[in-house]
Structures are given as structure tokens and as C-alpha cells.
Amino acid sequence: MVGAERGAGRAPGRGPAPAWPGLLAVGAATAVALGVHAVVPALGAATTGVVLGAAAANLGLLRERLRPGAAVASHRLLRAAVVLLGFQLAVPQLAALGFGGLAVVVVTVAVTFTGTLLLGRALGVRPVRALLVATGFSICGASAVAAVKEVTDADEDDTAVAVALVTLCGTLAILVLPALRGPLGLDPVAFGHWVGASVQDVGQTVATAERVPGALTWAVVVKLSRVLLLAPLVAGVALAGWHRGTGGAGTGGAGTGRRPPPVPLFVVGFLAAVAAGSTGWLPAVALDAARTAQEVLLVAALVGLGTGIHLPTLRRTGGRAVLLGVGAWALVAGVSWAGVRLLGA
């Protein structure tokens, strides 16, 4: 499992093992995931990437010399994908939502995040694991999980569980939410708002909204407005004391001797990308290139994160976490639907 042993793939008396073999393997798996999505659009590249990474780890295909590269993919490439995600969000887009749309987004994120933490406590889920699940479901799936992990004491098992849950539920949403549109009385615009406010990953949001003509534009705008809340959430988590080596919130970093920066550098990069994309100065071709690069890097990062999904560990510890994930999914879907109906967003 990536990160399970510091020094894995390192020979006595030598420096760290090179990352390039693992990165080549991750690149190959990324190409397969993108190819599968091109042939079978219903199978998201992100989901396929996680599955391929998990399969490699659990079938004994992840050799020691591949682990350093997988670790680089799951950390550095994912940070780069988060930064590039900022180019997809232009602040003027938020004006199109109006007060009602913005209120739905803020309330949904706040209630889902807080409610999932409380549910995790009631279920006896490890606090930092519940934090990652809460972040993934309330903001933007695996990207948010990875961003918050950087300012907590979460380990690879915590991350793997959270990523697996948001990936599974987000994939199921592609099938479930369009089937519920009629019974819930949502026209295409309202459905787009609901999808954007409730589905985890940006790619999953697009795949879900595309199934209902007229919903996609609104779904993307609402979804990206949720993504904008990633930066303040990460900063808040860092300031609240969820630091490495603490085992939970409120301990102030005891035992570590240092305090991580309130806003990680990649989050600053994300905000800078949002600002740059909002100026209107960047040509469409540059924005399209950034979007493509972000999608590829995210899939590669999810392949790396998938290698941290250790099925025996999930069987031992994942039962209550699965209940937490289902509860978080029901919470984000229920609150956002109620908001769309009540506020007419």
C-alpha cells in the first residue's frame, strides 16, 4: 500500500528509489482508464482509474519499485490537478446563480459537512476519517479529500476509504439521480442545480447532468461554486488543529513541534488559477488545455490513490465508514433537493 512503509523500495545505504517506473505504470493505467471512458462513456475515467489502482495493489501487481511513483501520483499530481481545477471557475459565473442558488450551495456544504462529522461520531468512525468523508461529500470528491489530507494526521487507510466512498456514491449518482427527477418534480434547470449541489466529483456531475437535456450548464456552474469553497474549508481545517500526529481536532499540533501553514501552497495556486480564469484575458484554447490537463492528472492521481485501497483493511474497518458514506450521500442529496425546491434555485 502506498505510504504504508516509509522507505519502501529503498536499498540499504542508497538513496530513495526512483519514481519514474511507478509513474510510467500510472501513466499506462491512466491511458487505459481514459480509453475505457472513450469507448464506454458510462464508465467514468476517474472511477476506472481508482479501480485499476486498487486492482494492482490487491492482486500483487504493485511491485516495490513502483510504489514511489504511485506515491508521487497520489500526492503531487493530485495537488497539480486541484490547482488546474481553478481555471474552470470564473467568479462572474456566480452572479448567474443569484442569491437562491448561492444559498443552496452554502447551506448544502455546511449542513453536509457538519452532519457527516456528527454522524461519524455517532457511528464511532475515526474522527479524521469522518473528516475526509465529510469533505469529499460536501465539496468535490477525491480532490477535496486529498486537499484536506495534507493538513491533517490522516493515514493512507483513511484516504483510501474516503476516496472509495465518494467514488462509489458519485458513480451511482449517474444512474440514480436522473431516475429520481420525475418523481421529485424537477424541471431540467432545477435538476441541474440539484446535480451540481449534490454530486461529488466534477466529472460525475457532468456525466449525471448530461442525461437530462438542458441541465448541464446549470449543474457545472453550481458544482464549480461548491469547488470554490474548498480553499476556505482547507484553511479552516488547518486552523482548527487537525494536524499531522495529533490524532484529531483541537490538539494544536502537540507532539509535532511544527504547525502546517494555514493555507497550503497548492490551495493558493488554486485561488490564483480562479483569479486568472476570472479576468477573461486567457484565450479559450488555454482554458481548454488546462481543463484537459486537469482531467488527465486527476485520473493519474486517482490511480495512485487506488493503490492505497487495501481490501482486507476495508473489510476490517470499513463497515461503519460505509454507513457513514451512505448517510453523507443521503444528506447532501436531501438537503440540496430541499433547497432547490424551497428557494426555487
Side-chain angles (χ1 to χ4, degrees), residues 61-231:
L61 302 177
L62 187 68
R63 307 300 183 187
E64 287 299 320
R65 66 192 184 95
L66 301 180
R67 294 180 185 275
V72 169
S74 65
H75 294 286
R76 296 183 184 179
L77 296 189
L78 192 42
R79 293 176 190 174
V82 170
V83 172
L84 291 175
L85 185 60
F87 286 108
Q88 298 182 35
L89 175 61
V91 172
Q93 290 176 330
L94 303 180
L97 291 179
F99 173 79
L102 292 174
V104 169
V105 170
V106 173
V107 171
T108 298
V109 169
V111 173
T112 301
F113 183 78
T114 304
T116 303
L117 287 179
L118 293 175
L119 180 58
R121 181 183 301 176
L123 292 172
V125 174
R126 173 171 149 86
V128 73
R129 180 171 297 185
L131 172 69
L132 295 184
V133 173
T135 304
F137 277 90
S138 61
I139 301 289
C140 56
S143 298
V145 170
V148 168
K149 177 185 181 294
E150 298 299 318
V151 294
T152 69
D153 64 345
D155 58 26
E156 298 299 330
D157 287 340
D158 296 322
T159 307
V161 168
V163 168
L165 289 173
V166 296
T167 300
L168 174 62
C169 292
T171 302
L172 290 175
I174 298 173
L175 302 175
V176 174
L177 266 60
L180 293 177
R181 182 177 77 91
L184 294 178
L186 299 175
D187 61 29
V189 173
F191 179 74
H193 279 84
W194 184 42
V195 170
S198 64
V199 179
Q200 287 70 48
D201 178 76
V202 175
Q204 294 163 342
T205 298
V206 171
T208 305
E210 280 182 334
R211 300 189 63 195
V212 176
L216 180 58
T217 299
W218 290 106
V220 172
V221 171
V222 173
K223 176 61 193 177
L224 293 178
S225 68
R226 281 172 69 196
V227 173
L228 187 61
L229 297 177
L230 176 63

Side-chain angles (χ1 to χ4, degrees), residues 2 27 33 38 43 63 71 76 129 171 177-178 184 203 237 240 261 281 303 308 315 342:
V2 173
L43 293 177
R63 307 300 183 187
R76 296 183 184 179
R129 180 171 297 185
T171 302
L177 266 60
L184 294 178
V237 168
W281 298 341
V303 171
R315 282 195 293 267
L342 290 174

